[in-house]
Amino acid sequence: MLQFDVVTLFPAMFDAVTEQGVTGRARSRGLYQLVAWNPRDFAGNVHRTVDDRPYGGGPGMVMLVEPLRRSLNAACQRQCGQGVAKPRVLHLSPQGRVLDHRLVLELSREQGLVLLAGRYEGVDERLFGHQVLDHAVEEISIGDYVLSGGELAAMVLMDAVVRQLPGALGDAGSAAQDSFVDGLLDHPHFTRPETYEGMVVPPELMSGNHAVITRWRLKQALGRTWQRRPDLLERRKLSVEEQQLLDEYRRELEGVR
Ligand code: ADE
């Protein structure tokens, strides 16, 4: 079972992941466990202070190093108690390495992840200083924009990782068929009715011929990626068949214009 520990001032936010949908079911099936640690419970004074004004001035507050250090070390110790050999500690922050499908897959194969969701303007940098924490910290961003705190980013990461755990998705093939698995965007999807406002379902999908359907889907995935995310195609060498399908897609597009 994958062990998640999260250090957060807002543990209740994580109910959205643990109680709902695919990630809620995965938790009830025992595919992962999540324990939240609130730095307030590790604060050194009666006011349970966890932040203070930044040295050098400026807006907002900075999270104190000591309550975070204690929370993170408690989280790591719990993981070790659960048999996690080396918990991977991830600090969610816009300064981090950007999360992508490859990293999600890598994380889904770990035994334990400790997530640090900071609030306010940031955390005291000395938290990451030499030997302050029992384990090294990696910074992870979910994109080039700023959230009010790391909680939503941690939940995004958890959702993406949990859906990769064997048994998380009802249909076993589902995660393998997602966008990005193949370095491509997803193909379009259709369901009933067959005709809607004069628009029909592509005949290939109605053909009942598995090879025709697979070929159509790959062609659409290639075409959409070429149109919307050419950067993804630059990173991926196309096979001869894929190049032919993409050329076909482009010719068909020209025909429509
Ligand atoms: N915290 C605030 N913004 C973030 C982002 N873009 N990614 C990860 N953590 C964050």
Side-chain angles (χ1 to χ4, degrees):
M1 176 181 352
L2 177 55
Q3 297 292 333
F4 283 102
D5 284 76
V6 58
V7 172
T8 172
L9 291 172
F10 303 96
M13 284 179 76
F14 288 82
D15 292 351
V17 173
T18 55
E19 305 295 329
Q20 308 288 329
V22 167
T23 50
R25 273 193 305 277
R27 196 186 68 102
S28 6
R29 287 198 202 120
L31 299 187
Y32 74 93
Q33 193 180 14
L34 171 72
V35 174
W37 302 85
N38 192 334
R40 276 199 203 287
D41 299 332
F42 296 85
N45 62 13
V46 288
H47 306 294
R48 311 220 299 159
T49 309
V50 289
D51 61 335
D52 208 335
R53 288 174 317 224
Y55 281 122
M61 301 289 268
V62 176
M63 293 184 81
L64 299 172
V65 72
E66 189 57 19
L68 289 179
R69 185 187 71 84
R70 290 191 195 154
S71 318
L72 281 165
N73 285 342
C76 289
Q77 272 161 28
R78 187 198 78 85
Q79 294 228 336
C80 292
Q82 292 291 315
V84 177
K86 196 167 180 288
R88 209 152 152 185
V89 185
L90 310 173
H91 173 211
L92 284 308
S93 131
Q95 277 77 49
R97 162 183 177 190
V98 178
L99 185 69
D100 62 7
H101 180 65
R102 218 171 67 190
L103 181 54
V104 165
L105 277 186
E106 190 186 308
L107 295 176
S108 72
R109 294 182 191 120
E110 297 286 347
Q111 293 181 299
L113 303 173
V114 175
L115 308 175
L116 168 58
R119 277 266 143 178
Y120 311 112
E121 305 313 300
V123 310
D124 190 317
E125 191 66 23
R126 290 168 295 184
L127 181 66
F128 312 111
H130 190 53
Q131 297 207 323
V132 171
L133 295 172
D134 298 338
H135 298 272
V137 181
E138 295 167 66
E139 247 174 304
I140 306 283
S141 166
I142 62 160
D144 292 340
Y145 44 82
V146 178
L147 303 167
S148 314
E151 283 79 8
L152 285 169
M155 286 191 265
V156 165
L157 183 148
M158 278 191 68
D159 184 289
V161 166
V162 166
R163 60 181 285 111
Q164 298 301 330
L165 299 177
L169 300 179
D171 179 355
S174 230
Q177 285 170 24
D178 278 347
S179 299
F180 300 113
V181 167
D182 218 9
L184 299 175
L185 300 184
D186 203 4
H187 57 76
H189 299 262
F190 297 86
T191 185
R192 290 196 291 180
E194 230 179 284
T195 306
Y196 180 74
E197 303 267 335
M199 294 176 283
V200 296
V201 175
E204 289 86 347
L205 297 180
M206 310 297 286
S207 69
N209 182 329
H210 192 67
V212 168
I213 294 168
T214 303
R215 187 176 184 279
W216 182 87
R217 285 182 169 161
L218 177 57
K219 183 165 79 176
Q220 296 299 317
L222 287 159
R224 282 181 150 196
T225 310
W226 168 70
Q227 282 177 305
R228 301 177 190 193
R229 292 289 306 277
D231 58 302
L232 292 179
L233 283 191
E234 273 156 33
R235 280 191 248 153
R236 187 185 184 286
K237 216 174 137 35
L238 296 188
S239 70
V240 174
E241 196 216 345
E242 285 171 341
Q243 189 58 57
Q244 277 168 358
L245 283 175
L246 179 56
D247 293 343
E248 203 175 301
Y249 182 94
R250 287 157 81 162
R251 276 199 303 277
E252 284 167 13
L253 202 69
E254 290 299 319
V256 171
R257 280 199 189 131

